[in-house]
Amino acid sequence: MNWWIFGGVAIGIVVIGWLLQHFRLIDLTPTRRGRGGLGGMVTMVDEVFAPTKHEAAIEADRETRMPAPAPIPGDGDKGIFGGKVVIEVPKDEGRAR
């Protein structure tokens, strides 16, 4: 009789996974050719119980596929700082020497 419990739990997990996929709460579609299946189910567990770990894994995968170009000497600052850096040092007002 114990195998009924095991079978019911297994079928329940599959049905819950299908429902979550159907209502787009999780995404089990393979990201590359030939991947998916059981790996998708493990991804589902990561996505539900450790969402930041899952998001970090997705971002790491994106960065490995399309890395940002490394800066080279002579590129300049590309207009970010306008070529000027200002460091303001507070005056010693009221401090004992």
Side-chain angles (χ1 to χ4, degrees):
M1 194 65 165
N2 289 338
W3 63 274
W4 283 100
I5 295 172
F6 178 74
V9 169
I11 291 173
I13 289 172
V14 170
V15 169
I16 288 172
W18 180 82
L19 286 172
L20 291 173
Q21 171 78 17
H22 180 72
F23 290 111
R24 296 179 189 255
L25 297 173
I26 61 172
D27 185 18
L28 299 178
T29 56
T31 55
R32 296 185 202 152
R33 192 173 200 189
R35 292 186 67 185
L38 185 58
M41 292 301 286
V42 172
T43 302
M44 176 189 69
V45 172
D46 270 349
E47 192 172 342
V48 171
F49 293 106
T52 54
K53 177 183 173 187
H54 177 71
E55 292 167 6
I58 290 174
E59 186 62 29
D61 188 44
R62 282 187 198 134
E63 289 175 2
T64 55
R65 278 193 251 148
M66 179 83 68
I72 59 173
D75 273 353
D77 63 0
K78 301 196 183 225
I80 297 174
F81 299 109
K84 184 177 182 183
V85 176
V86 177
I87 299 175
E88 295 181 9
V89 180
K91 297 184 179 188
D92 292 339
E93 294 179 8
R95 276 190 161 181
R97 292 188 182 217

